[in-house]
Coordinates of all heavy atoms in Angstrom, one line a residue:
P983 N 2.9 -0.9 11.3 CA 3.5 -0.8 12.6 C 2.9 -1.9 13.5 O 1.8 -2.4 13.2 CB 3.1 0.6 13.1 CG 2.0 1.0 12.3 CD 2.2 0.4 10.9
P984 N 3.6 -2.4 14.5 CA 3.0 -3.5 15.3 C 1.7 -3.1 16.0 O 1.4 -1.9 16.3 CB 4.1 -3.7 16.4 CG 5.4 -3.1 15.8 CD 4.9 -1.9 14.9
F985 N 1.0 -4.2 16.4 CA -0.1 -4.0 17.3 C 0.4 -3.8 18.7 O 1.5 -4.2 19.0 CB -1.0 -5.2 17.3 CG -1.7 -5.5 16.0 CD1 -1.4 -6.6 15.2 CD2 -2.7 -4.6 15.6 CE1 -2.0 -6.8 14.0 CE2 -3.4 -4.9 14.4 CZ -3.1 -5.9 13.6
R986 N -0.3 -3.0 19.5 CA 0.2 -2.6 20.8 C 0.5 -3.8 21.7 O 1.4 -3.8 22.6 CB -0.8 -1.7 21.5 CG -0.9 -0.3 20.8 CD -1.7 0.7 21.7 NE -0.8 1.2 22.8 CZ 0.0 2.2 22.6 NH1 0.2 2.8 21.4 NH2 0.7 2.6 23.6
W987 N -0.3 -4.9 21.5 CA -0.1 -6.1 22.4 C 1.2 -6.9 21.9 O 1.6 -7.8 22.7 CB -1.3 -7.0 22.3 CG -1.7 -7.4 21.0 CD1 -1.3 -8.5 20.3 CD2 -2.8 -6.8 20.2 NE1 -1.9 -8.6 19.1 CE2 -2.9 -7.6 19.0 CE3 -3.7 -5.8 20.4 CZ2 -3.8 -7.3 18.0 CZ3 -4.6 -5.5 19.4 CH2 -4.6 -6.2 18.2
E1013 N 3.7 1.8 6.8 CA 2.5 2.4 6.4 C 1.7 3.0 7.5 O 1.6 2.5 8.6 CB 1.6 1.2 5.8 CG 0.3 1.7 5.2 CD -0.5 0.5 4.5 OE1 0.1 -0.6 4.5 OE2 -1.6 0.8 4.0
N1014 N 1.1 4.2 7.2 CA 0.3 4.9 8.2 C -1.0 4.1 8.5 O -1.5 3.4 7.6 CB -0.1 6.3 7.7 CG -0.9 6.2 6.5 OD1 -0.5 5.7 5.4 ND2 -2.2 6.8 6.6
M1015 N -1.4 4.0 9.8 CA -2.6 3.3 10.1 C -3.6 4.3 10.7 O -3.7 5.4 10.2 CB -2.2 2.2 11.1 CG -1.3 1.1 10.5 SD -1.9 0.4 8.9 CE -3.3 -0.6 9.5
Y1016 N -4.4 3.9 11.7 CA -5.4 4.8 12.3 C -5.8 4.3 13.6 O -5.6 3.1 14.0 CB -6.6 4.7 11.3 CG -7.0 3.3 10.9 CD1 -7.8 2.5 11.7 CD2 -6.5 2.8 9.7 CE1 -8.1 1.2 11.3 CE2 -6.8 1.5 9.3 CZ -7.6 0.7 10.1 OH -7.9 -0.6 9.8
P1017 N -6.5 5.1 14.5 CA -7.0 4.6 15.7 C -8.3 3.8 15.5 O -9.0 4.0 14.5 CB -7.3 5.9 16.5 CG -7.3 7.0 15.5 CD -6.6 6.5 14.3
W1018 N -8.5 2.8 16.3 CA -9.7 2.0 16.2 C -10.8 2.7 17.0 O -10.6 3.2 18.1 CB -9.5 0.6 16.8 CG -8.6 -0.3 15.9 CD1 -8.0 0.1 14.8 CD2 -8.3 -1.6 16.2 NE1 -7.3 -1.0 14.3 CE2 -7.4 -2.1 15.1 CE3 -8.6 -2.5 17.2 CZ2 -6.9 -3.3 15.1 CZ3 -8.1 -3.8 17.1 CH2 -7.2 -4.2 16.1
R1019 N -12.0 2.8 16.4 CA -13.1 3.5 17.1 C -14.3 2.6 17.2 O -14.7 1.8 16.3 CB -13.5 4.7 16.3 CG -12.5 5.8 16.2 CD -13.0 7.1 15.6 NE -12.0 8.1 15.5 CZ -11.2 8.3 14.5 NH1 -11.3 7.5 13.4 NH2 -10.3 9.3 14.5
Y1020 N -15.0 2.7 18.3 CA -16.3 2.0 18.6 C -17.2 3.0 19.3 O -16.9 3.4 20.4 CB -16.1 0.8 19.4 CG -17.4 0.1 19.7 CD1 -18.1 -0.6 18.6 CD2 -18.0 0.1 20.9 CE1 -19.3 -1.2 18.9 CE2 -19.2 -0.6 21.2 CZ -19.8 -1.2 20.2 OH -21.0 -1.9 20.4
R1021 N -18.3 3.4 18.6 CA -19.2 4.4 19.1 C -18.4 5.7 19.4 O -17.7 6.3 18.5 CB -20.0 3.9 20.3 CG -20.9 2.8 19.9 CD -21.7 2.3 21.0 NE -22.6 1.2 20.6 CZ -23.4 0.5 21.4 NH1 -23.3 0.7 22.7 NH2 -24.2 -0.5 20.9
D1022 N -18.3 6.1 20.7 CA -17.6 7.3 21.0 C -16.2 7.1 21.6 O -15.5 8.0 22.1 CB -18.4 8.2 22.0 CG -19.7 8.7 21.4 OD1 -19.7 8.9 20.1 OD2 -20.7 8.8 22.1
R1023 N -15.8 5.8 21.5 CA -14.6 5.4 22.2 C -13.5 5.2 21.1 O -13.8 4.8 20.0 CB -14.7 4.2 23.0 CG -15.8 4.3 24.1 CD -15.8 3.1 25.0 NE -14.6 2.9 25.7 CZ -14.4 1.8 26.5 NH1 -15.3 0.9 26.7 NH2 -13.2 1.7 27.2
E1024 N -12.3 5.5 21.5 CA -11.1 5.4 20.5 C -10.0 4.6 21.2 O -9.7 4.8 22.4 CB -10.6 6.8 20.2 CG -9.5 6.8 19.2 CD -9.1 8.2 18.7 OE1 -9.9 8.8 18.0 OE2 -8.0 8.6 19.2
M1025 N -9.5 3.6 20.5 CA -8.4 2.8 21.0 C -7.2 2.9 20.2 O -7.3 2.8 18.9 CB -8.9 1.3 21.1 CG -7.9 0.4 21.7 SD -8.4 -1.3 21.9 CE -8.2 -1.9 20.3
L1026 N -6.1 3.1 20.8 CA -4.8 3.2 20.0 C -4.3 1.8 19.9 O -3.7 1.2 20.8 CB -3.8 4.1 20.7 CG -4.3 5.5 20.9 CD1 -3.3 6.4 21.7 CD2 -4.6 6.2 19.6
A1027 N -4.5 1.2 18.7 CA -4.2 -0.2 18.5 C -2.7 -0.5 18.0 O -2.3 -1.6 18.0 CB -5.2 -0.8 17.5
Y1028 N -2.0 0.6 17.6 CA -0.7 0.4 17.0 C 0.4 1.1 17.8 O 0.1 2.1 18.4 CB -0.7 0.9 15.5 CG -1.7 0.2 14.6 CD1 -3.0 0.7 14.4 CD2 -1.4 -1.0 14.1 CE1 -3.9 0.1 13.6 CE2 -2.3 -1.7 13.3 CZ -3.6 -1.1 13.0 OH -4.5 -1.8 12.3
A1029 N 1.6 0.5 17.8 CA 2.7 1.1 18.5 C 3.9 1.0 17.6 O 4.0 0.0 16.8 CB 2.9 0.3 19.8
P1030 N 4.9 1.9 17.6 CA 4.9 3.1 18.5 C 3.7 4.1 18.3 O 3.3 4.7 19.2 CB 6.2 3.8 18.2 CG 7.1 2.7 17.5 CD 6.1 1.8 16.8
D1031 N 3.2 4.1 17.1 CA 2.1 5.1 16.8 C 1.5 4.7 15.5 O 2.2 4.2 14.6 CB 2.6 6.5 16.8 CG 1.4 7.5 17.1 OD1 0.6 7.7 16.2 OD2 1.4 8.0 18.2
W1032 N 0.1 5.0 15.3 CA -0.5 4.8 14.0 C 0.0 5.8 13.0 O 0.0 5.6 11.8 CB -2.0 4.8 14.1 CG -2.6 6.1 14.6 CD1 -2.9 6.4 15.9 CD2 -2.8 7.3 13.8 NE1 -3.4 7.7 15.9 CE2 -3.3 8.3 14.7 CE3 -2.7 7.6 12.5 CZ2 -3.7 9.6 14.2 CZ3 -3.0 8.9 12.0 CH2 -3.6 9.8 12.9
D1033 N 0.4 7.0 13.5 CA 0.9 8.0 12.6 C 2.4 7.8 12.6 O 3.2 8.2 13.4 CB 0.6 9.4 13.2 CG 1.2 10.5 12.3 OD1 1.9 10.3 11.4 OD2 0.9 11.7 12.6
V1034 N 2.8 7.1 11.5 CA 4.2 6.7 11.4 C 5.2 7.9 11.2 O 6.4 7.7 11.4 CB 4.4 5.7 10.2 CG1 3.7 4.4 10.6 CG2 3.9 6.2 8.9
K1036 N 5.6 10.1 13.1 CA 6.2 10.5 14.5 C 7.4 9.8 14.8 O 8.1 10.1 15.8 CB 5.1 10.3 15.5 CG 3.9 11.2 15.4 CD 2.9 11.0 16.5 CE 1.7 12.0 16.4 NZ 0.7 11.7 17.5
D1045 N -1.4 5.6 2.9 CA -2.6 4.9 2.5 C -3.7 5.9 2.7 O -4.0 6.4 3.8 CB -2.9 3.7 3.3 CG -4.1 2.9 2.9 OD1 -5.2 3.5 2.8 OD2 -4.0 1.7 2.6
S1047 N -7.0 5.6 2.3 CA -8.2 5.1 3.1 C -7.9 5.2 4.6 O -8.8 5.6 5.3 CB -8.5 3.7 2.7 OG -9.6 3.2 3.5
H1048 N -6.6 5.0 4.9 CA -6.3 5.1 6.4 C -6.3 6.5 6.8 O -6.6 6.8 8.0 CB -4.9 4.5 6.6 CG -4.8 3.0 6.3 ND1 -3.7 2.3 6.4 CD2 -5.8 2.1 6.0 CE1 -3.9 1.0 6.1 NE2 -5.2 0.9 5.8
T1049 N -5.9 7.5 6.0 CA -6.0 8.9 6.4 C -7.4 9.3 6.6 O -7.8 10.0 7.5 CB -5.3 9.8 5.4 OG1 -5.9 9.7 4.2 CG2 -3.8 9.6 5.4
A1050 N -8.3 8.7 5.8 CA -9.8 9.0 6.0 C -10.3 8.4 7.3 O -11.0 9.1 8.1 CB -10.6 8.4 4.8
T1051 N -9.9 7.2 7.6 CA -10.4 6.6 8.9 C -9.8 7.3 10.1 O -10.4 7.4 11.1 CB -10.0 5.1 8.9 OG1 -10.5 4.4 7.7 CG2 -10.5 4.4 10.1
A1052 N -8.5 7.7 10.0 CA -7.8 8.4 11.1 C -8.4 9.9 11.2 O -8.1 10.5 12.2 CB -6.3 8.5 10.8
R1053 N -9.0 10.4 10.1 CA -9.5 11.8 10.0 C -8.3 12.7 10.1 O -8.4 13.7 10.8 CB -10.6 12.0 11.1 CG -11.8 11.2 10.9 CD -12.7 11.2 12.1 NE -13.8 10.1 11.9 CZ -14.6 9.7 12.9 NH1 -14.5 10.3 14.1 NH2 -15.5 8.8 12.7
S1054 N -7.3 12.3 9.4 CA -6.1 13.2 9.4 C -5.9 13.8 8.0 O -6.6 13.4 7.1 CB -4.8 12.3 9.7 OG -4.7 11.2 8.8
D1055 N -5.1 14.8 7.9 CA -4.9 15.6 6.7 C -3.9 14.9 5.8 O -2.7 14.8 6.1 CB -4.4 17.0 7.0 CG -4.3 17.9 5.8 OD1 -3.9 17.4 4.7 OD2 -4.6 19.1 6.0
M1059 N 0.2 15.0 5.6 CA 1.1 13.8 5.9 C 2.1 13.6 4.7 O 3.2 13.2 5.0 CB 0.2 12.6 6.1 CG 1.0 11.3 6.4 SD -0.1 9.9 6.9 CE -0.3 10.4 8.7
G1077 N -14.3 9.0 6.0 CA -14.1 9.3 7.5 C -14.8 8.4 8.4 O -15.0 8.7 9.6
S1078 N -15.3 7.3 7.8 CA -16.0 6.3 8.7 C -15.0 5.6 9.6 O -13.8 5.7 9.5 CB -16.6 5.2 7.7 OG -17.0 4.1 8.5
A1079 N -15.6 5.0 10.7 CA -14.7 4.3 11.6 C -14.2 3.0 11.0 O -13.2 2.4 11.5 CB -15.6 3.9 12.9
K1080 N -14.8 2.6 9.9 CA -14.3 1.4 9.1 C -13.3 1.9 8.1 O -13.4 2.9 7.5 CB -15.5 0.7 8.5 CG -16.5 0.1 9.4 CD -17.6 -0.6 8.7 CE -18.6 -1.2 9.7 NZ -19.7 -1.9 9.0
D1081 N -12.4 1.0 7.8 CA -11.4 1.2 6.7 C -12.0 0.9 5.4 O -12.1 -0.3 5.1 CB -10.1 0.4 7.0 CG -9.0 0.6 6.1 OD1 -9.0 1.7 5.4 OD2 -8.1 -0.2 6.0
E1082 N -12.5 1.9 4.7 CA -13.4 1.7 3.5 C -12.7 1.2 2.2 O -13.3 0.5 1.5 CB -14.2 2.9 3.3 CG -15.1 3.3 4.5 CD -15.7 4.7 4.3 OE1 -15.0 5.7 4.4 OE2 -16.9 4.7 4.0

Side-chain angles (χ1 to χ4, degrees):
F985 294 111
R986 294 191 77 84
W987 55 84
E1013 183 173 0
N1014 63 302
M1015 298 305 290
Y1016 47 85
W1018 291 2
R1019 294 190 181 91
Y1020 179 70
R1021 295 181 179 172
D1022 295 329
R1023 300 184 66 182
E1024 184 174 288
M1025 182 176 81
L1026 300 179
Y1028 299 96
D1031 204 286
W1032 62 264
D1033 181 351
V1034 293
K1036 293 182 178 180
D1045 184 307
S1047 178
H1048 295 177
T1049 58
T1051 305
R1053 299 168 190 169
S1054 56
D1055 186 322
M1059 182 168 281
S1078 164
K1080 296 181 179 179
D1081 186 17
E1082 296 172 287

